[in-house]
């Protein structure tokens, strides 16, 4: 049985997000939220709509009726209705429609770097953090550290995939390519920042161009000129000179790889840091995930000045409750056997005491067949039932 803190559940909530860069909340409400509300109002199965208009984006939270059996079908209907809205603002980005999924964090892994807050140090820290995240996703499951888990591991089939399938970066800024052109350079060539931005947007594209079919083959045509590196943006041609020369973005100004501006500083123990939140999915064992992360932290060699630290270990409570359950079961078994052996015959004591492991294992077999897990609720129920079984046995 998989071990976790609380049972898995799905929130029957659909979230619609439409970014609208630079727009005020009033513009977002009029151009985004009201149109989405009207589009999805006719869909059956929606209990409540909640719109949120904020600067630069609009949200719509749809709470579904408990009677909705196929959430994915309703999700497709919502997406279809929103895609048919013809009058979104021109600068609004593509809407995103998704079901809210709940994933409980298993443990947090922090990476701290040298005590500098400049962009070069942040870029190096971000590269190292992403490298560690990719390595975590490829780790095989660590062997159980507890004796019971180690004993039961011999009877479990080996996992074909890694122990960790979900690791999310926290406290990181999105990448951004900054193009900085001095005003003198723009005036000298009769340009404006808006015109340069339109040229970069027009040239930095990747789009399908159709197919060419012949009698013997079929060729797929694609325009691949989209780049996500500053040195490639520098080569985009902007304006042609009378003498035939063509000026690029690098000739007009400077391009650098950086991050989005944000008025916040992320620190771990007073040092610049980034966090990897390791999450447990529905088919993973909490204790296995945490043990794998801790084993990786103990063995990982980092460059000088960098350090790994962990916190928020959710397996501690589960281990404590599991140890309590095991110790109580063993103590109850011994007490029943000893008391009945002293006051009654040994044969009777053996068969009565045997009812304790039979009851626990029988209940576990039923839970296993129903795809249930060992969590704080089921283990609490086991503790209550264990006391009843021991009392009735005596």
């Amino acid at each position: 049985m998989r071990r976790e803190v609380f049972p898995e559940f799905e929130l029957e909530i659909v979230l619609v997000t439409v970014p609208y860069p630079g727009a005020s909340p009033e513009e977002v409400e009029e151009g985004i939220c009201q149109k989405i509300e009207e589009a999805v109002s006719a869909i059956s199965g929606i209990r409540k709509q909640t719109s949120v208009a904020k600067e630069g984006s609009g949200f719509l939270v749809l709470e579904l009726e408990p009677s909705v059996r196929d959430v994915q079908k309703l999700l497709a209907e919502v997406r279809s209705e929103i895609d048919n809205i013809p009058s979104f603002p021109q600068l609004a980005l593509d809407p995103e429609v998704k079901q809210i999924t709940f994933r409980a964090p298993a443990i947090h892994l922090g990476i701290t770097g040298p005590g500098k807050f400049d962009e070069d140090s942040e870029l190096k820290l971000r590269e190292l953090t992403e490298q560690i995240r990719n390595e975590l996703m490829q780790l095989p499951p660590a062997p159980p550290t507890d004796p019971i888990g180690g004993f039961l591991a011999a009877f479990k089939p080996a996992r074909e995939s890694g122990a960790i399938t979900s690791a999310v970066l926290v406290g990181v800024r999105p990448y951004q390519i900054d193009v900085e052109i001095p005003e003198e350079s723009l005036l000298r060539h009769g340009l404006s920042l808006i015109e340069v931005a339109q040229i970069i947007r027009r040239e930095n594209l990747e789009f399908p161009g159709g197919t060419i079919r012949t009698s013997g083959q079929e060729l797929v045509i694609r325009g691949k000129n989209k780049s996500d590196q500053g040195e490639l943006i520098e080569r985009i041609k902007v304006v042609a000179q009378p003498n035939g020369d063509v000026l690029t973005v690098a000739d007009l100004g400077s391009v650098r790889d950086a991050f989005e501006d944000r008025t916040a500083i992320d620190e771990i123990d007073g040092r610049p840091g980034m966090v990897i939140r390791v999450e447990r999915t529905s088919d993973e064992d909490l204790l296995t995930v945490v043990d794998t992360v801790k084993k990786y932290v103990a063995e990982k060699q980092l460059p000088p000045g960098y350090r790994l630290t962990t916190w928020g270990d959710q397996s501690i409570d589960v281990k404590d409750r599991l140890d309590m359950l095991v110790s109580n079961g063993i103590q109850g078994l011994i007490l029943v056997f000893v008391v009945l052996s002293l006051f009654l015959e040994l044969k009777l004591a053996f068969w009565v005491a045997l009812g304790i492991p039979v009851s626990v294992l029988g209940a576990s077999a039923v839970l296993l067949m129903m795809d249930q897990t060992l969590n704080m609720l089921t283990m609490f129920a086991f503790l209550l039932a264990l006391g009843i079984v021991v009392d009735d046995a005596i």
Side-chain angles (χ1 to χ4, degrees):
M1 295 173 64
R2 297 187 307 276
R3 293 163 291 184
E4 58 184 353
V5 181
F6 289 106
E8 284 285 332
F9 64 92
E10 288 189 0
L11 296 174
E12 295 182 347
I13 294 177
V14 174
L15 176 63
V16 183
T17 307
V18 183
Y20 189 4
S24 64
E26 291 79 10
E27 293 174 326
V28 172
E29 179 185 9
E30 182 179 352
I32 302 293
C33 296
Q34 292 180 359
K35 295 177 181 179
I36 296 178
E37 289 177 353
E38 294 175 0
V40 303
S41 59
I43 299 178
S44 60
I46 298 177
R47 181 174 62 181
K48 182 180 179 182
Q49 299 184 26
T50 304
S51 296
V52 179
K54 58 181 293 187
E55 183 177 353
S57 60
F59 305 91
L60 179 64
V61 180
L62 303 176
E63 298 182 21
L64 308 186
E65 296 285 354
S67 59
V68 175
R69 296 183 178 274
D70 192 349
V71 179
Q72 295 302 317
K73 180 181 178 181
L74 191 143
L75 191 69
E77 293 182 13
V78 173
R79 185 177 291 112
S80 176
E81 293 293 337
I82 293 176
D83 290 340
N84 291 330
I85 298 177
S87 56
F88 273 144
Q90 185 177 2
L91 297 179
L93 303 182
D94 294 336
E96 180 185 10
V97 183
K98 62 180 180 180
Q99 180 186 6
I100 298 297
T101 56
F102 176 78
R103 284 186 176 179
I107 191 171
H108 289 80
L109 176 63
I111 302 95
T112 57
K116 298 179 181 179
F117 286 95
D118 56 275
E119 285 192 345
D120 291 338
S121 299
E122 187 174 0
L123 282 170
K124 294 179 181 178
L125 182 60
R126 176 67 177 273
E127 292 175 359
L128 179 61
T129 303
E130 292 185 348
Q131 175 190 339
I132 292 175
R133 175 184 177 274
N134 294 334
E135 292 176 357
L136 286 173
M137 303 281 284
Q138 300 172 3
L139 291 176
T145 56
D146 56 302
I148 295 179
F151 173 76
L152 296 178
F155 302 95
K156 294 181 180 179
R159 286 174 56 93
E160 297 181 358
S161 60
I164 300 170
T165 58
S166 177
V168 182
L169 297 183
V170 182
V172 297
R173 293 191 293 171
Y175 284 115
Q176 177 175 282
I177 300 177
D178 291 339
V179 180
E180 299 176 350
I181 302 176
E183 184 179 2
E184 296 81 7
S185 180
L186 293 173
L187 294 176
R188 188 183 314 122
H189 300 94
L191 295 171
S192 65
L193 282 177
I194 296 178
E195 292 175 341
V196 175
Q198 290 176 346
I199 293 173
I200 295 176
R201 188 179 297 112
R202 184 180 67 237
E203 297 295 330
N204 190 40
L205 287 177
E206 180 175 352
F207 58 91
T211 58
I212 298 178
R213 293 184 177 88
T214 66
S215 58
Q217 62 181 344
E218 180 176 302
L219 303 177
V220 178
I221 309 300
R222 292 189 61 84
K224 300 187 66 174
N225 196 40
K226 187 176 182 62
S227 57
D228 54 2
Q229 297 180 6
E231 59 181 5
L232 300 178
I233 300 294
E234 290 179 343
R235 304 174 188 175
I236 294 179
K237 300 174 182 178
V238 179
V239 61
Q241 296 287 87
N243 59 2
D245 294 337
V246 179
L247 299 180
T248 62
V249 176
D251 297 327
L252 298 177
S254 61
V255 181
R256 58 190 179 91
D257 295 311
F259 298 95
E260 285 187 4
D261 296 332
R262 190 175 64 181
T263 55
I265 296 176
D266 297 296
E267 291 182 345
I268 301 174
D269 295 334
R271 303 174 61 186
M274 297 181 183
V275 180
I276 301 176
R277 185 178 66 236
V278 180
E279 300 174 337
R280 188 199 66 83
T281 57
S282 58
D283 60 343
E284 294 173 351
D285 181 77
L286 174 63
L287 271 62
T288 302
V289 171
V290 172
D291 291 341
T292 302
V293 173
K294 291 184 175 180
K295 182 174 181 291
Y296 173 83
V297 171
E299 298 175 354
K300 178 64 177 176
Q301 299 293 328
L302 295 179
Y306 294 89
R307 187 175 61 186
L308 286 176
T309 182
T310 59
W311 69 89
D313 184 357
Q314 299 296 314
S315 67
I316 295 177
D317 293 336
V318 178
K319 286 181 179 179
D320 292 343
R321 181 66 59 84
L322 192 57
D323 292 341
M324 182 189 301
L325 178 62
V326 173
S327 63
N328 285 4
I330 295 176
Q331 292 174 13
L333 182 65
I334 295 175
L335 284 174
V336 168
F337 184 77
V338 170
V339 170
L340 295 184
S341 298
L342 291 176
F343 294 96
L344 300 173
E345 57 184 79
L346 186 64
K347 180 179 179 181
L348 178 64
F350 170 78
W351 286 111
V352 172
L354 189 63
I356 296 176
V358 168
S359 301
V360 174
L361 293 177
S364 300
V366 173
L367 292 175
L368 183 61
M369 288 186 295
M370 298 174 63
D371 198 26
Q372 300 299 314
T373 61
L374 271 179
N375 52 68
M376 302 297 284
L377 301 182
T378 54
M379 285 190 287
F380 180 72
F382 266 120
L383 285 171
L384 290 178
L386 188 62
I388 296 175
V389 170
V390 172
D391 182 59
D392 289 349
I394 295 178

